[in-house]
Structures are given as C-alpha cells and as structure tokens.
Amino acid sequence: MTDAAHRRYRVAINAETLALAWARQEAGPSGSVVVVDHEISPRGRLGRLWPHPAQQTAVLAMIWRPTLRADQADLVWLAASLGLLAAARSVTAEREMGLSWPDALVDAGARRLGEVRAEVQLGPERVTSAVVTARLDIDALGNADRDTVIAALVDGLATGAADLANDADRTRVSYSAACVLTGRRVIARLLPRGTARGTVRGVDAHGRLELVSSTGFVERVPLVGLDRVELWP
Amino acid sequence: MTPVGSGDPLTTAQAFLGAVAWADHTTVWELLAPTARHAVLELATRRGMDPLLAARLREGAATTEERDDFLADLLHGLRAEVAGVDLETVRCVVGEGGTTVPGSVLVRLVADVPAELGAAVPVGRIEVVRSGGRWAVVRLDGAS
C-alpha cells in the first residue's frame, strides 16, 4: 500500500527510520504514515528492543509537525501515548489498560502491551517535526486483526496529534489521569546514575514526571535523564 | 509525636539516609546538627549565597520558596555523595567515634557482596552526635 500519505513495507530496519527519511528528505507532511510488517530492528526508547516477535506486532510511524516550543518537545511522547491507548481500547472491549510514563502501555498486571517512541527534531526555539512510532502486541489484544489494529493506530495517533495542537495542557492533564503511576510511590532510576523517589503527582507542562515527597518537596524527572521507573514495593 | 532524631545513632542515620533518598527535604534539615547547618550555610555563602538569605535560613525566617530552593540544592549535594550506592540494600552499622566534633559516632554504610568475595564493602558513612537532647547528623560521606 503506497499513496500520498501512507507507505507500507513488507520488511524494513524499522518504521521510524523510513519515516524520518520521509520527513527530512521529502518534507513528508504531517500525518504521513509508514507501516512495516516485519521490523528487523524494532527499537524503542534508549534503543531498547521491542520484545515481541514481528508476527504478533502491529507497528507504524507517523510524521507530526506540531506547533510547540522546544521546551515542550517531550509532550509529543505524552500525546503519542494517549493515541496508543485510544487505539488499544478501540480494538479490545474489556481489558483494563493504562499508561506507564514515559513510553509504555500496560495492563492491570503491569505487562507491557505497547510502546511509543518519539524522535523530535528541533529548530530555533521550537519543534520542527516529530516522528512518532507506536507498537502494539496483537496477541495481548486478543489476536486482533493486524490491519484493524493498524487502522486504529492511525486514528489514535492522528487524534493525539490533533489534541496536542488544540490544547497542550489538556494533553498533560489527560496523560496524568491515564497514567498508572499517578498516586503511586516509585523510584526513578536516572542516567548515568542516581535515583529520585517519591509519590507520582502527574506530569508537568514540559512532560516531566512530578514526584512529591512526604514533606511536600516536588522533584521533576525529565525524560532525557531517565533509565526506568520502578514501583516501590 | 517523636522528635526527629531522638532515637539512637543507628536509627538517626537510617532516618537521614531515608530522608535524602525520598527527598523529605525538611526532615533532612531537621536531622542536621546545628554545627552542620552552620557549616552548610557558611559554604553556601562562600559560593555566592546572599548572606541575608543565609541568615534567614539559619533563623528559620526564610520564605517557603527560599527554603525549598536551598534544600533542593542541599539534597542534590547529599545525593551526589551516595549516587553510586544502592539505597535499597545498603546497611547501616555503628562504628567507632567520629572526628568532626567531640563525642560523635560514625555509622558506616556497607553493601553486602557474595560470600566468596569477602566481607561487606564500605560505601559511605554518616557521622552523628548527641545535640540538644537528640542525635543529629554532622556529616555524610560517600565512598566515591
């Protein structure tokens, strides 16, 4: 399938690579979609490999051209995550799901059902474009039809982009409400080392995770400095 | 309510370590001995803090915002000392007398290692002293 806004490949290194090339070299418009049936190197945040085989994975990358300041760049991750959640909910009726900051879609047992990755291109003081990749584990969604899931992902990410364009703060509020970490005590493992601990209050206007201590001290963990977030037992 | 740091050297050190880890900023300040608070503010002043702000912090007259900004820097400094330490597994062990102030006690932070590698490894220490009817922290040193 190839048209002005959609390209589909049987095999590729990954969807993000192709979408990035489209965005940079051909000025791909916002909403352009790359679907790959079999990614050879399905990498998420920090280059970590998506653990599920290609046969049970639905993946696409979409070009966004959001109107955001450079310091709001990480909101793209939140909007993409909300799009992923909407897509997953549209193809499964009953499963209890939520978002785990910054990139995961998880079920009630904290099992990773999906993930997003955002490659954001910055210009002077602003975001010029972003390539958002979303992956879903089809098996975990009750063996949904791949093309149905892909269509749901297209709709979900398009909605996420539109909501971000309309009201970035609403995206932040919606994400905080959908995040399974909100209200939980967590340890944020930082890079290259160190930790931050506290009770998750939500995310702030820059997409950072807000941790509140028992004495009311608020720490904000930026996505760039994060290794992983663990729930406190 | 039990006053902060009213227990013994071990529980005071453990409480301090926990407060640093979990960013309980006012607890960290309360657990510091007056000499340690004085030293921290003096160092901050030498590094450019407004002396009037230092005075307000010393007297507890600073605004909440001023206090929180200052304690955020203090927390970051203390965390840097133990950045390489796994605070979930580290143990506190009461050791010998300290050297910073008379009558102080060293509480050693040790990390267990596999038996074949020998005894637990020291990864830091917290020095505490009896001050004003309670145990309070004089200093925190990381091994790094």
Short mmCIF file of all heavy atoms in Angstrom, two decimals, chain B residues 52-84:
data_model
loop_
_atom_site.label_atom_id
_atom_site.label_comp_id
_atom_site.label_asym_id
_atom_site.label_seq_id
_atom_site.Cartn_x
_atom_site.Cartn_y
_atom_site.Cartn_z
N LEU B 52 22.21 37.62 53.66
CA LEU B 52 20.93 37.88 54.34
C LEU B 52 19.99 36.67 54.21
O LEU B 52 19.27 36.33 55.14
CB LEU B 52 20.26 39.13 53.76
CG LEU B 52 20.99 40.44 54.05
CD1 LEU B 52 20.29 41.60 53.34
CD2 LEU B 52 21.04 40.70 55.55
N LEU B 53 20.04 36.03 53.02
CA LEU B 53 19.24 34.82 52.84
C LEU B 53 19.77 33.72 53.77
O LEU B 53 18.97 33.01 54.40
CB LEU B 53 19.31 34.36 51.38
CG LEU B 53 18.69 32.98 51.09
CD1 LEU B 53 17.21 32.94 51.49
CD2 LEU B 53 18.84 32.62 49.61
N ALA B 54 21.08 33.61 53.85
CA ALA B 54 21.67 32.60 54.75
C ALA B 54 21.21 32.85 56.19
O ALA B 54 20.89 31.91 56.92
CB ALA B 54 23.19 32.64 54.65
N ALA B 55 21.16 34.11 56.57
CA ALA B 55 20.72 34.45 57.93
C ALA B 55 19.25 34.05 58.13
O ALA B 55 18.87 33.52 59.18
CB ALA B 55 20.91 35.94 58.19
N ARG B 56 18.43 34.33 57.13
CA ARG B 56 17.02 33.96 57.24
C ARG B 56 16.86 32.45 57.33
O ARG B 56 16.04 31.95 58.11
CB ARG B 56 16.23 34.49 56.02
CG ARG B 56 16.05 35.99 56.01
CD ARG B 56 14.91 36.41 55.07
NE ARG B 56 15.18 36.11 53.67
CZ ARG B 56 15.92 36.87 52.87
NH1 ARG B 56 16.46 37.99 53.32
NH2 ARG B 56 16.10 36.54 51.61
N LEU B 57 17.64 31.73 56.55
CA LEU B 57 17.56 30.26 56.61
C LEU B 57 18.02 29.76 57.98
O LEU B 57 17.43 28.83 58.55
CB LEU B 57 18.44 29.65 55.51
CG LEU B 57 17.91 29.82 54.08
CD1 LEU B 57 19.01 29.54 53.06
CD2 LEU B 57 16.72 28.91 53.84
N ARG B 58 19.06 30.37 58.51
CA ARG B 58 19.59 29.96 59.81
C ARG B 58 18.56 30.17 60.91
O ARG B 58 18.41 29.35 61.82
CB ARG B 58 20.86 30.74 60.11
CG ARG B 58 21.62 30.28 61.36
CD ARG B 58 22.87 31.09 61.58
NE ARG B 58 23.83 30.94 60.50
CZ ARG B 58 24.18 31.91 59.64
NH1 ARG B 58 23.66 33.12 59.77
NH2 ARG B 58 25.03 31.69 58.67
N GLU B 59 17.82 31.28 60.80
CA GLU B 59 16.84 31.64 61.83
C GLU B 59 15.46 31.04 61.57
O GLU B 59 14.53 31.26 62.34
CB GLU B 59 16.72 33.17 61.92
CG GLU B 59 18.02 33.89 62.27
CD GLU B 59 18.61 33.41 63.59
OE1 GLU B 59 17.83 33.14 64.51
OE2 GLU B 59 19.85 33.29 63.66
N GLY B 60 15.33 30.34 60.44
CA GLY B 60 14.02 29.77 60.10
C GLY B 60 13.03 30.84 59.66
O GLY B 60 11.82 30.64 59.75
N ALA B 61 13.55 31.97 59.14
CA ALA B 61 12.68 33.08 58.74
C ALA B 61 12.57 33.20 57.22
O ALA B 61 11.96 34.15 56.72
CB ALA B 61 13.23 34.39 59.31
N ALA B 62 13.16 32.27 56.49
CA ALA B 62 13.08 32.34 55.03
C ALA B 62 11.68 31.97 54.56
O ALA B 62 10.93 31.29 55.27
CB ALA B 62 14.10 31.36 54.42
N THR B 63 11.34 32.43 53.36
CA THR B 63 10.05 32.03 52.79
C THR B 63 10.12 30.55 52.40
O THR B 63 11.21 29.98 52.27
CB THR B 63 9.73 32.85 51.53
OG1 THR B 63 10.69 32.53 50.51
CG2 THR B 63 9.77 34.35 51.82
N THR B 64 8.96 29.97 52.19
CA THR B 64 8.93 28.55 51.80
C THR B 64 9.69 28.33 50.49
O THR B 64 10.43 27.35 50.34
CB THR B 64 7.47 28.10 51.62
OG1 THR B 64 6.79 28.31 52.85
CG2 THR B 64 7.40 26.63 51.24
N GLU B 65 9.54 29.27 49.56
CA GLU B 65 10.22 29.13 48.26
C GLU B 65 11.74 29.20 48.45
O GLU B 65 12.48 28.40 47.86
CB GLU B 65 9.74 30.22 47.31
CG GLU B 65 10.25 30.03 45.89
CD GLU B 65 9.70 31.08 44.94
OE1 GLU B 65 8.94 31.96 45.40
OE2 GLU B 65 10.06 31.02 43.75
N GLU B 66 12.19 30.17 49.27
CA GLU B 66 13.63 30.29 49.53
C GLU B 66 14.16 29.01 50.19
O GLU B 66 15.21 28.49 49.82
CB GLU B 66 13.90 31.49 50.44
CG GLU B 66 13.71 32.83 49.77
CD GLU B 66 13.83 34.00 50.75
OE1 GLU B 66 13.57 33.79 51.97
OE2 GLU B 66 14.17 35.11 50.31
N ARG B 67 13.41 28.53 51.16
CA ARG B 67 13.84 27.34 51.88
C ARG B 67 13.89 26.13 50.96
O ARG B 67 14.86 25.37 50.95
CB ARG B 67 12.86 27.06 53.03
CG ARG B 67 13.22 25.86 53.89
CD ARG B 67 12.00 25.35 54.65
NE ARG B 67 10.99 24.82 53.72
CZ ARG B 67 9.80 24.39 54.10
NH1 ARG B 67 9.43 24.47 55.35
NH2 ARG B 67 8.94 23.91 53.21
N ASP B 68 12.86 25.98 50.13
CA ASP B 68 12.81 24.81 49.26
C ASP B 68 13.92 24.85 48.20
O ASP B 68 14.50 23.82 47.86
CB ASP B 68 11.44 24.68 48.59
CG ASP B 68 10.38 24.21 49.57
OD1 ASP B 68 10.72 23.94 50.74
OD2 ASP B 68 9.20 24.13 49.17
N ASP B 69 14.20 26.03 47.67
CA ASP B 69 15.28 26.16 46.68
C ASP B 69 16.62 25.76 47.31
O ASP B 69 17.41 25.04 46.72
CB ASP B 69 15.38 27.60 46.16
CG ASP B 69 14.29 27.90 45.14
OD1 ASP B 69 13.62 26.95 44.70
OD2 ASP B 69 14.12 29.09 44.81
N PHE B 70 16.82 26.25 48.53
CA PHE B 70 18.07 25.94 49.22
C PHE B 70 18.16 24.45 49.54
O PHE B 70 19.20 23.81 49.30
CB PHE B 70 18.15 26.78 50.51
CG PHE B 70 19.17 26.30 51.48
CD1 PHE B 70 20.53 26.43 51.20
CD2 PHE B 70 18.79 25.70 52.67
CE1 PHE B 70 21.48 25.96 52.09
CE2 PHE B 70 19.73 25.23 53.56
CZ PHE B 70 21.08 25.37 53.27
N LEU B 71 17.08 23.90 50.05
CA LEU B 71 17.11 22.49 50.41
C LEU B 71 17.20 21.58 49.19
O LEU B 71 17.74 20.47 49.27
CB LEU B 71 15.88 22.14 51.26
CG LEU B 71 15.86 22.76 52.66
CD1 LEU B 71 14.61 22.35 53.43
CD2 LEU B 71 17.10 22.37 53.46
N ALA B 72 16.69 22.06 48.05
CA ALA B 72 16.85 21.28 46.82
C ALA B 72 18.33 21.14 46.48
O ALA B 72 18.80 20.06 46.14
CB ALA B 72 16.10 21.94 45.67
N ASP B 73 19.05 22.25 46.59
CA ASP B 73 20.50 22.20 46.32
C ASP B 73 21.20 21.30 47.33
O ASP B 73 22.10 20.53 46.98
CB ASP B 73 21.10 23.61 46.38
CG ASP B 73 20.69 24.44 45.18
OD1 ASP B 73 20.26 23.85 44.17
OD2 ASP B 73 20.80 25.69 45.25
N LEU B 74 20.78 21.41 48.59
CA LEU B 74 21.40 20.57 49.62
C LEU B 74 21.15 19.09 49.34
O LEU B 74 22.06 18.26 49.43
CB LEU B 74 20.84 20.95 50.99
CG LEU B 74 21.32 20.10 52.17
CD1 LEU B 74 22.83 20.21 52.35
CD2 LEU B 74 20.60 20.51 53.46
N LEU B 75 19.91 18.78 48.97
CA LEU B 75 19.57 17.39 48.66
C LEU B 75 20.40 16.85 47.50
O LEU B 75 20.90 15.73 47.54
CB LEU B 75 18.09 17.29 48.28
CG LEU B 75 17.10 16.97 49.38
CD1 LEU B 75 15.69 16.98 48.81
CD2 LEU B 75 17.38 15.61 49.99
N HIS B 76 20.53 17.68 46.47
CA HIS B 76 21.32 17.24 45.31
C HIS B 76 22.76 16.97 45.71
O HIS B 76 23.37 16.00 45.25
CB HIS B 76 21.25 18.27 44.19
CG HIS B 76 19.90 18.35 43.56
ND1 HIS B 76 19.38 19.52 43.04
CD2 HIS B 76 18.94 17.41 43.39
CE1 HIS B 76 18.17 19.28 42.57
NE2 HIS B 76 17.88 18.02 42.77
N GLY B 77 23.29 17.83 46.57
CA GLY B 77 24.66 17.63 47.03
C GLY B 77 24.81 16.34 47.83
O GLY B 77 25.76 15.58 47.64
N LEU B 78 23.85 16.11 48.72
CA LEU B 78 23.92 14.90 49.54
C LEU B 78 23.74 13.64 48.69
O LEU B 78 24.41 12.63 48.90
CB LEU B 78 22.84 14.95 50.64
CG LEU B 78 23.05 16.02 51.71
CD1 LEU B 78 21.80 16.18 52.57
CD2 LEU B 78 24.25 15.66 52.58
N ARG B 79 22.83 13.73 47.72
CA ARG B 79 22.61 12.57 46.85
C ARG B 79 23.83 12.27 46.00
O ARG B 79 24.10 11.11 45.67
CB ARG B 79 21.41 12.81 45.95
CG ARG B 79 20.12 12.62 46.67
CD ARG B 79 19.00 12.81 45.70
NE ARG B 79 17.72 12.58 46.33
CZ ARG B 79 16.58 12.79 45.72
NH1 ARG B 79 16.56 13.22 44.49
NH2 ARG B 79 15.44 12.56 46.34
N ALA B 80 24.53 13.31 45.62
CA ALA B 80 25.75 13.09 44.83
C ALA B 80 26.75 12.26 45.63
O ALA B 80 27.49 11.45 45.07
CB ALA B 80 26.36 14.43 44.43
N GLU B 81 26.74 12.44 46.94
CA GLU B 81 27.65 11.67 47.79
C GLU B 81 27.34 10.18 47.75
O GLU B 81 28.24 9.35 47.87
CB GLU B 81 27.56 12.15 49.25
CG GLU B 81 28.27 13.46 49.51
CD GLU B 81 29.78 13.32 49.43
OE1 GLU B 81 30.30 12.28 49.85
OE2 GLU B 81 30.43 14.26 48.92
N VAL B 82 26.07 9.84 47.61
CA VAL B 82 25.69 8.42 47.65
C VAL B 82 25.11 7.97 46.31
O VAL B 82 24.36 6.99 46.24
CB VAL B 82 24.67 8.15 48.79
CG1 VAL B 82 25.33 8.29 50.13
CG2 VAL B 82 23.47 9.07 48.67
N ALA B 83 25.49 8.67 45.24
CA ALA B 83 24.90 8.38 43.93
C ALA B 83 25.18 6.95 43.47
O ALA B 83 24.37 6.35 42.78
CB ALA B 83 25.41 9.37 42.90
N GLY B 84 26.32 6.40 43.85
CA GLY B 84 26.65 5.06 43.40
C GLY B 84 26.19 3.97 44.35
O GLY B 84 26.50 2.79 44.15
#
